[in-house]
Amino acid sequence: MGAHVEFGILGSTQLIDNGRSVPLGPAKQRGMLSILLHRVGEPVRADALIDLLWHPRGTADHRPTLYSIASRLRAVLAQAGLDRALVRVPGIGAYRLDVDPGIVDLHRFRTRLAVARATAGRGDRREAAEILVPALLLWRGEPLAELRGPRAEQVRTSLNQHLLDAHRLLAECRLACGHHHSVLAQLESLVLVHDLDEGLARCWAGALRAVGRGDEARRFVAAFQRRFRKEMHTEPDIDESPVRVPPRRIPRQLPPDIGDFTGRESLLAELSGNNVVVITGMPGVGKTTLAVHWAHCQRNQYPDGQLYLDAAAYGHAAPIDPEDVLDRFLRALGVPSGQLPVTPEQRRDRYEELVGDRRILVVLDNVRDSAQVRPLIPRSMKCLTIITSRVRLSALTIRDGVRTVVAAPLPQDESRALLARIVGERAATDGAGLAALARLSGGLPLAVRVIGERVAERPLASLGDLVDELRHRLLDATDGDDQAASLNAFFDWSYHALDPDVAHLFRRISLHPGSSISPEAAAAIAGDPLAEVEGRLNVLAKAHMINHDTARRYRFHGLLHRYASRQAAAQDDPADTARDQRRLLNFYLLSAANAMAVIAPEWPPMPDLPDDPSVRPITFAIDTEAMKWCDTERDNLGVLSLWADRNGHHRYGWQIPGVLHEMFERHGSPADLLRLNQQALEAARNDGHEKGQIGTLVNLGTTYFTLHDYDRAIAAFIAAQEFASATGHIEEEGICLQNLAATYVSLGQVTRAIEIYGDALAICRKIGNPVDEAVILHWLGEAYLRLGHYQGSADSFHQALAIRQRLGAKRGTGQTHSGLGTLYLAAGRPQLALRHCEAALAIHVHAHDEKAECDTLITLVAVQSGLGAHPDAIRNGRRAVLLSERIGDLYRQVEALTATGDALLRAGDRVGAEHQIRAAARTLDGLSGVDVSPLRNRLTAVERGIRPAGPESRAS
C-alpha cells in the first residue's frame, strides 16, 4: 500500500495517493468502489452491486459488465500500491475490498462521531467540539454521489442522518461552551433545510436569545411550532421560553448509552419508522445495547420521558409479572403509591390515561413472551416502544402487526473495530493478532468485551499470544467478579429454558461437525421421526439457539456449537454418542452414493459401503435433485470426511470424498479438492484398504492434473499403477494407465501416451469394461488431434461418443461432444464444430460441470467469431471469463480473456479487445509450466492484431 493513501466517499468518490488524485474512471467504476468502501472488509454480493449500480435494473445480465468494471478497478487500485485489495470471494459471488477503514473518510467520520459522543457524555463539551469540527470537514458533498435509485437513496439518507447528528451535537456543545455566534454561523443554512428538526431549532433559538435577539427567537419558535403541528400533527418539544417547565412528571429511566457503540448502521436504519419494534437474536448478540443506544438516538423526539424495564425473562431472578411493572410505571409517571388503582384493568386504564397524547419512549428489555409484554405497550401512536427478547414474539407479529428485527452477529470489521476501541493503543501494534481475536468472538459483542477484558489483564502479552488460550477458555472467561457475565452463563439461561426433548436434540446436533444441518441429517443423528425433529429444530430456531440458514436448513453459531458440544459431553452416554456419530456418517455416505448412482450411473459403486438399517438415506428421482443435494452439502461432506479420519473412522475418511470425486471435480476450488484428496489418501492408508488406496491415488493424480502440476500427477498415477499391479487389481491398473497417458498428452509426449493408451485399452477390452474403454478412446482422440491426425482423432472420438451414449454417461457424452467441437474447428469445418459445441454446452450446464462448460465456451467463442456471429461470441466469451474466475483456474482465465479479446477485435472493438488482452497478460505473468508457452503464443497472436502498424509500415 502507498505511504499516504486515502479514500473519500463523502462527496464524489476519490482516491488520494501521496497528495495526488488518482483518476478512477467512469461513474459505474467509481460507484462500485464507493459501495465497497462503504462496506469495507465485508463481502458484497454481485446482485447487491448490480442493484445499486444499475437503476432501473431491467432484464439485462449485468454480470459480465460488472466483472469488467472490477477488473478495471483492480488496475486503478494497483497504481496506488493496492494490488490485492479487491478480492473476489469464491462460492458466494461477491467482492470485498480489503483496506484499513481508517483511510476511508466515512469510517474516520463515524469513529470521531462516536468518540465525540462519549466525550460529551462525560461532560467535556469543549473537547467534543474540537473532535467534531475536523470530522465535519470530511464531508465534501453528497455521499456515494455516483449511485442512483431507491436503495442508494436509502443508504444516503442514513449517512446524512449521521451528518445531522454530528451538527446537532456540535451545536449543543458550542452552546454549552458559550460559543453562541459559532452556533448561528453553523446552523444558518441547516435550520432552513431541516426545518422540522427540533434539536437544531432549540439550538438556534437558544443561540439567538444568548446574543440578545430574543424577539427574533420568539418569532422563529412560533413559526416552527405552526409548521411542526401542520406537518407532524403533534406538539414540538420547543417553546418561546428559555427554559421549558414540564407540566407533568417526566421519567428518565433509560440506562446510560455505551460510549464505544460500534457499527450496526443498517440495523439502526431498519429500526426507524416503527412505533413498536421487537429486537430479537441469540444470547450475547447485543440486543440490549442496541436497544438502549437506539433509544438514546431517538430520545429527543420523545420529550415526555423514558420508561425502562428489565423483564428478567432469562437469568437467576424470576421473570417479572406485567402487573408489577404497571405499578412501577404508574409511580414513575407521578401516581402516589397510596393512589394506585386496585384491579389490573384499572391500572391499565390509568396507564393509558397518563400516557394520553404524550410522547414517551418505552424500553422493555429481556422479555419472555408476548403475554408478558403486551399490557405494557402504550396504544398511543405518539409513543415509541422498543422490546428485546431471545425468542421471536410471534404472537405480537401475527396479532398486533409488530415489526421484528433480528440482530445478527457483528461482521468481522465491526468486531475488530469494537475490540480495537476496548483494547486501546495495543490494537495498533498487532493488527493480525487483533483480527484473530475478533474472529474468536464470532461477532458477539459480549464475547468481544470478554476478550477485551482478558487482554487488559495481560498488559505484557502480545495479542497473538492470547489467541490460542482464549480459543479454549472463552466460554468460561468472565471479568473476574461476576460469573453471570460469562458467555457460558448467558447460554445456560437460554439452554435451561428449553423442554427436555428439545435440549436433547440441541446436544445431539452438536455432534455434526459441519456448518449447517438439514432436518434429515438431524433425524439421522437423533434416531427420531423426521416430522418430530423438524418441529424441535424450529423451536430451537425461534429461541435463537440455532439459526435458519435456508427454508429447511439450520446453522449453529460457532460459540453456541461449542457450548452444545460441551453439554453433550457432560450429559450424554459416550456409547450413545458413538452410535449417533456413526449414524450421521452412514447417512451422508449412503445419501452421497445414492446421488452419484443417479448423476453418473455408468460408474461402478463404491466398494464396501456400510449396511445400516437404522438410517434412512436420501434417495433421488432425477439427477438435478441429486446435484442440488451435493452442491448444498459440499462443505459438510468435506468437513465430515476430515473429522471421520481424525476420530478413527478411517473408511469414511476416504469413501466420502471418493464417492463424490467426480461431482466435486465439476466445480469449486481445485486447491480445496487437492487438500480433501490428500487427507483421503491418509485415511485409506490408515484403513489398509487396497482399492481405497488405489482409487484415492488416482483421484489425487487427477486433481494435480487439473492444477497443471503434471510431475506430481505422474508420480501419483505411477504409484497407483504399481500398487494395483502388486496387489493383483488389473481393472484398477488399467485406470491408472489411462490417466498416466492423459498427462503425457498434456506434456506434449503424445507418441508415448498413445502407446500407454494401447496397453490400457487392451486391459479394458479383456475384462469387458466399456466405461473405461470410452474414456481411453476419448483421450486417444485428443492425442491424435495434438498430432494433427484429424481422421484418427475423429474415429476415436466417435467410437467414444457411441459407447457413452449407449451407457447413458451424460458427463462423458458432453466431454466428447466438446472434443469433437475442438477437432472440427481445427479441421476448418465450423458448422460441425458449432453443432457439437452446442450439444456439449447443454450437457455441461445441466450437469453443473463448470470447468467443462468454461472449456467448451472458449472453443465456441472461436467458432462463432469465425462464422461472423460476433455478439454471440462476445457474450459467451464474457461467460467463460466469469466461470474461469469463479473456478479459480488462472490458466483457463487466460484462455477465456484471450478468446474474448480476439472476439472483440474481430467485431471491431479494438479498445475492448486491448482491455481483455492486458488482463490476460497480467494473469499470465504469474504462471509457469508447460501450459504457458501455447497460451503466450495465442495471446501474442491476438496482440499483433490490436497493435497499430508502425511508422515504417505506413511509409512503405
Side-chain angles (χ1 to χ4, degrees):
M1 184 182 297
H4 297 92
V5 174
E6 294 183 352
F7 288 98
I9 56 175
L10 298 178
S12 59
T13 305
Q14 63 178 17
L15 166 56
I16 306 297
D17 182 13
N18 291 303
R20 179 183 64 88
S21 179
V22 177
L24 294 175
K28 288 281 192 293
Q29 199 162 301
R30 302 194 306 274
M32 181 176 181
L33 179 60
S34 71
I35 298 165
L36 296 171
L37 287 167
H38 176 235
R39 295 175 56 182
V40 66
E42 297 180 45
V44 183
R45 292 183 179 273
D47 283 343
L49 288 165
I50 289 169
D51 285 343
L52 285 163
L53 290 173
W54 280 273
H55 178 76
R57 181 171 180 169
T59 58
D61 182 6
H62 297 291
R63 287 176 181 270
T65 309
L66 183 69
Y67 170 78
S68 297
I69 293 171
S71 182
R72 292 195 296 270
L73 196 52
R74 284 195 185 95
V76 171
L77 293 170
Q79 297 176 34
L82 302 169
D83 308 63
R84 301 180 181 275
L86 181 54
V87 178
R88 173 81 173 180
V89 183
I92 62 172
Y95 288 94
R96 186 181 69 242
L97 190 64
D98 288 338
V99 298
D100 180 4
I103 66 173
V104 184
D105 58 0
L106 168 63
H107 301 291
R108 290 205 306 278
F109 170 79
R110 285 174 170 170
T111 300
R112 291 175 183 178
L113 177 56
V115 173
R117 280 172 174 159
T119 304
R122 294 194 301 268
D124 195 341
R125 300 300 182 94
R126 187 178 302 277
E127 183 182 346
E130 290 174 356
I131 295 169
L132 285 167
V133 170
L136 286 166
L137 290 175
L138 293 170
W139 288 72
R140 297 169 289 106
E142 183 181 49
L144 307 172
E146 293 80 10
L147 303 180
R148 293 292 178 266
R151 289 193 62 180
E153 286 304 321
Q154 184 179 7
V155 175
R156 225 176 341 260
T157 299
S158 175
L159 294 180
N160 283 323
Q161 183 60 50
H162 292 302
L163 174 63
L164 199 58
D165 291 344
H167 273 294
R168 194 182 298 117
L169 180 58
L170 177 59
E172 290 169 356
C173 291
R174 282 173 164 171
L175 271 179
C177 295
H179 300 162
H180 310 123
H181 289 287
S182 296
V183 174
L184 294 176
Q186 174 197 348
L187 299 186
E188 185 173 7
S189 60
L190 286 173
V191 292
L192 295 176
V193 176
H194 303 283
D195 60 353
L196 294 175
D197 190 288
E198 294 168 290
L200 295 181
R202 280 194 297 272
C203 290
W204 178 259
L208 287 173
R209 294 188 195 100
V211 298
R213 295 160 62 181
D215 289 342
E216 190 177 341
R218 282 189 290 276
R219 288 194 300 273
F220 170 80
V221 170
F224 182 89
Q225 289 174 329
R226 288 193 300 272
R227 188 166 59 249
F228 196 93
R229 292 186 195 107
K230 180 179 179 181
E231 296 293 332
M232 306 299 290
H233 306 290
T234 188
E235 286 294 324
D237 181 28
I238 182 172
D239 58 28
E240 295 181 18
S241 60
V243 180
R244 183 176 185 273
V245 180
R248 294 170 284 190
R249 180 180 294 182
I250 298 180
R252 303 291 188 194
Q253 297 184 339
L254 202 59
D257 197 3
I258 291 180
D260 58 9
F261 185 89
T262 302
R264 302 290 198 192
E265 300 295 336
S266 59
L267 195 55
L268 288 168
E270 193 176 351
L271 291 170
S272 301
N274 306 280
N275 72 305
V276 184
V277 62
V278 177
I279 303 172
T280 187
M282 65 177 288
V285 81
K287 299 180 292 295
T288 297
T289 301
L290 175 65
V292 170
H293 176 73
W294 190 54
H296 275 280
C297 293
Q298 301 295 315
R299 66 179 180 176
N300 288 337
Q301 307 298 320
Y302 298 91
D304 294 314
Q306 310 101 36
L307 297 170
Y308 175 81
L309 166 72
D310 180 356
Y314 297 91
H316 297 301
I320 293 175
D321 188 290
E323 301 305 326
D324 295 335
V325 181
L326 278 174
D327 285 355
R328 292 188 197 179
F329 282 1
L330 288 172
R331 282 193 289 267
L333 291 168
V335 178
S337 298
Q339 298 179 22
L340 289 172
V342 177
T343 68
E345 291 78 12
Q346 290 171 336
R347 286 195 289 272
R348 174 70 186 179
D349 291 343
R350 182 65 172 141
Y351 177 55
E352 292 293 346
E353 178 187 334
L354 284 172
V355 171
D357 62 353
R358 297 170 73 181
R359 296 163 64 200
I360 293 176
L361 194 157
V362 183
V363 179
L364 306 173
D365 188 25
N366 200 13
V367 167
R368 178 186 59 208
D369 54 30
S370 299
Q372 185 188 32
V373 76
R374 184 176 280 113
L376 308 176
I377 302 173
R379 287 192 286 266
S380 170
M381 294 299 290
K382 295 182 179 180
C383 295
L384 170 64
T385 305
I386 309 167
I387 305 165
T388 76
S389 179
R390 294 191 183 189
V391 299
R392 290 190 69 91
L393 304 181
S394 302
L396 284 183
T397 302
I398 295 169
R399 290 176 50 189
D400 304 293
V402 171
R403 178 164 171 70
T404 296
V405 173
V406 179
L410 294 172
Q412 175 64 13
D413 64 320
E414 293 183 9
S415 298
R416 188 171 60 243
L418 176 58
L419 184 58
R421 291 179 181 179
I422 295 169
V423 171
E425 294 180 359
R426 293 167 68 187
T429 64
D430 187 357
L434 184 78
L437 286 173
R439 281 193 293 272
L440 285 184
S441 72
L444 297 188
L446 176 62
V448 174
R449 296 189 181 280
V450 170
I451 291 168
E453 182 61 26
R454 297 286 74 73
V455 171
E457 288 177 352
R458 309 287 181 84
L460 300 180
S462 73
L463 301 184
D465 291 341
L466 297 173
V467 173
D468 287 336
E469 176 188 345
L470 280 171
R471 181 177 287 113
H472 303 292
R473 294 187 52 212
L474 186 55
L475 285 176
D476 296 316
T478 68
D479 64 0
D481 62 0
D482 184 4
Q483 290 297 319
S486 72
L487 284 166
N488 198 74
F490 264 67
F491 295 163
D492 274 345
W493 296 335
S494 291
Y495 172 70
H496 291 304
L498 300 173
D499 289 338
D501 55 346
V502 178
H504 178 262
L505 181 65
F506 178 69
R507 299 193 304 273
R508 291 296 84 193
I509 60 176
S510 74
L511 303 179
H512 191 304
S515 58
S516 68
I517 190 168
S518 66
E520 291 81 4
I525 303 174
D528 290 330
L530 177 61
E532 292 181 14
V533 168
E534 193 159 10
R536 293 170 195 162
L537 287 170
N538 286 328
V539 172
L540 286 170
K542 184 177 179 180
H544 295 285
M545 298 299 278
I546 58 175
N547 299 312
H548 282 287
D549 190 30
T550 58
R552 289 191 71 248
R553 292 190 71 81
Y554 304 85
R555 184 176 295 272
F556 256 123
H557 184 276
L559 289 171
L560 271 172
H561 195 173
R562 196 179 308 165
Y563 171 83
S565 298
R566 176 186 289 188
Q567 297 301 319
Q571 298 184 46
D572 297 328
D573 189 310
D576 292 342
T577 295
R579 176 203 62 206
D580 294 348
Q581 287 172 337
R582 190 170 293 278
R583 271 205 304 249
L584 175 67
L585 289 167
N586 286 339
F587 166 79
Y588 272 106
L589 175 58
L590 296 174
S591 296
N594 288 345
M596 292 312 297
V598 176
I599 294 169
E602 73 276 14
W603 293 108
M606 173 64 64
D608 298 326
L609 287 172
D611 181 17
D612 187 350
S614 71
V615 170
R616 299 184 63 183
I618 299 177
T619 57
F620 307 93
I622 54 176
D623 61 347
T624 50
E625 289 179 3
M627 287 186 289
K628 182 178 179 181
W629 183 84
C630 290
D631 287 344
T632 302
E633 296 287 1
R634 181 188 182 101
D635 290 342
N636 280 336
L637 289 158
V639 170
L640 274 165
S641 62
L642 179 61
W643 176 90
D645 185 46
R646 288 178 176 173
N647 288 273
H649 304 290
H650 302 306
R651 185 152 299 180
Y652 299 96
W654 64 265
Q655 281 187 325
I656 290 174
V659 77
L660 286 164
H661 176 80
E662 184 191 345
M663 190 64 199
F664 283 178
E665 201 177 34
R666 297 183 182 192
H667 60 93
S669 166
D672 291 342
L673 184 57
L674 176 63
R675 286 189 290 271
L676 189 61
N677 281 325
Q678 288 170 333
Q679 165 264 312
L681 180 58
E682 182 180 347
R685 286 171 174 163
N686 289 335
D687 189 29
H689 196 285
E690 292 176 356
K691 286 189 175 182
Q693 293 178 66
I694 297 166
T696 307
L697 273 167
V698 170
N699 290 343
L700 183 60
T702 59
T703 307
Y704 280 127
F705 181 93
T706 301
L707 289 165
H708 306 270
D709 189 345
Y710 299 127
D711 290 340
R712 285 193 174 91
I714 287 172
F717 293 141
I718 289 175
Q721 187 263 330
E722 290 175 348
F723 188 73
S725 178
T727 52
H729 294 288
I730 186 171
E731 182 175 355
E732 284 71 20
E733 185 178 1
I735 294 170
C736 299
L737 288 171
Q738 63 181 264
N739 283 283
L740 183 62
T743 311
Y744 283 128
V745 170
S746 294
L747 285 168
Q749 301 178 35
V750 183
T751 303
R752 183 178 183 183
I754 290 173
E755 292 175 1
I756 298 173
Y757 276 135
D759 295 338
L761 193 59
I763 292 174
C764 287
R765 287 172 173 167
K766 178 180 178 181
I767 64 176
N769 181 353
V771 174
D772 287 322
E773 180 182 358
V775 171
I776 296 166
L777 286 166
H778 172 90
W779 284 107
L780 271 171
E782 296 279 1
Y784 285 129
L785 179 56
R786 288 283 187 107
L787 293 175
H789 296 173
Y790 295 155
Q791 188 57 53
S793 177
D795 291 344
S796 297
F797 275 139
H798 281 293
Q799 288 180 61
L801 184 63
I803 296 172
R804 285 174 157 174
Q805 288 175 330
R806 186 178 76 245
L807 294 173
K810 295 177 184 176
R811 188 188 186 204
T813 299
Q815 182 188 38
T816 303
H817 273 303
S818 187
L820 283 163
T822 307
L823 164 66
Y824 288 125
L825 173 65
R829 303 178 69 182
Q831 290 296 342
L832 270 177
L834 179 66
R835 191 178 74 194
H836 283 290
C837 284
E838 289 176 341
L841 197 59
I843 294 171
H844 298 328
V845 170
H846 177 82
H848 297 183
D849 194 341
E850 292 181 339
K851 296 178 181 68
E853 181 184 351
C854 183
D855 293 340
T856 301
L857 282 169
I858 291 167
T859 303
L860 184 58
V861 170
V863 173
Q864 290 172 328
S865 289
L867 290 170
H870 300 305
D872 291 338
I874 293 167
R875 185 181 66 253
N876 285 321
R878 297 194 189 281
R879 281 177 62 191
V881 170
L882 286 171
L883 274 173
S884 67
E885 187 184 44
R886 187 158 70 204
I887 294 164
D889 188 321
L890 297 179
Y891 294 87
R892 280 188 171 93
Q893 193 169 337
V894 173
E895 283 192 90
L897 286 165
T898 304
T900 307
D902 188 40
L904 287 163
L905 183 62
R906 290 175 182 238
D909 185 353
R910 186 179 296 272
V911 174
E914 186 173 5
H915 171 71
Q916 299 292 314
I917 295 307
R918 284 181 178 174
R922 284 196 301 270
T923 305
L924 187 59
D925 284 344
L927 303 180
S928 60
V930 296
D931 294 309
V932 169
S933 180
L935 292 176
R936 194 173 298 283
N937 292 339
R938 173 68 176 142
L939 184 61
T940 301
V942 180
E943 281 180 320
R944 289 198 191 102
I946 294 173
R947 278 194 217 106
E952 67 281 358
S953 297
R954 288 195 295 270
S956 63

